[in-house]
Amino acid sequence: MWGLEDMLIEDIENTDRFLFIFEWLMAIMSRYLCPMPFGLVHIEHGDKNELGDAYGAKEAAEQLVSMTTHLKKAFRNTDLVARIGSDFWIVVPYTPATEKVQDKVRSIIRDSEHEGLKTAAQNASIFSFPSEDEALNQKLTELGGAEFLTYLKKNRHILSCQILTLD
């Protein structure tokens, strides 16, 4: 059985793979005139300091790792799931962000609560690419993967095609 340290290392490696593939996808979109559509979901799982204060550092880390594992199982094998801090990012290739993605996110959060995960998620933002916002498409070609995700998180209320309140 894996310990928390092993799970955290796997989580870090998963994030590195996610960013590598996401940056490749960004490069493809900037290089070709006919980019492939994909949805990008951001789930805000609360502030990691608040989680640590509420549950203790070890249990908060276990909850975050468990949620990552749960999300990976819940989405398709072709979807990319990663945790960066206490934020979860899911790339859903070939599927524009639609009502279907919205319903899936709500269902996954609901299921995670039934499985004993103490979800602190408040919001999920759904983005669709290529975007109708040309300035956003330009940022996609100019920024690195982590920088772009930070930009989206900071501007999610303006840029997302849908924000879900999860309770």
Side-chain angles (χ1 to χ4, degrees), residues 46-134:
D47 179 86
K48 63 183 172 183
N49 293 328
E50 290 174 8
L51 292 171
D53 291 345
Y55 303 116
K58 184 178 181 202
E59 186 175 343
E62 289 172 348
Q63 289 291 321
L64 291 169
V65 169
S66 295
M67 188 66 169
T68 305
T69 301
H70 178 72
L71 289 170
K72 283 179 167 179
K73 288 178 183 175
F75 280 89
R76 303 172 304 185
N77 289 338
T78 54
D79 300 333
L80 301 173
V81 176
R83 178 178 66 84
I84 300 174
S86 58
D87 295 312
F88 296 91
W89 293 93
I90 304 106
V91 173
V92 185
Y94 303 107
T95 305
T98 63
E99 192 81 23
K100 187 176 177 185
V101 174
Q102 168 189 343
D103 292 342
K104 186 164 187 78
V105 171
R106 280 189 196 277
S107 174
I108 288 165
I109 296 300
R110 230 181 346 262
D111 289 348
S112 69
E113 291 170 347
H114 293 300
E115 292 181 13
L117 297 177
K118 297 175 182 132
T119 181
Q122 298 297 315
N123 295 303
S125 305
I126 300 174
F127 304 89
S128 184
F129 294 98
S131 173
E132 292 179 13
D133 182 338
E134 287 304 316

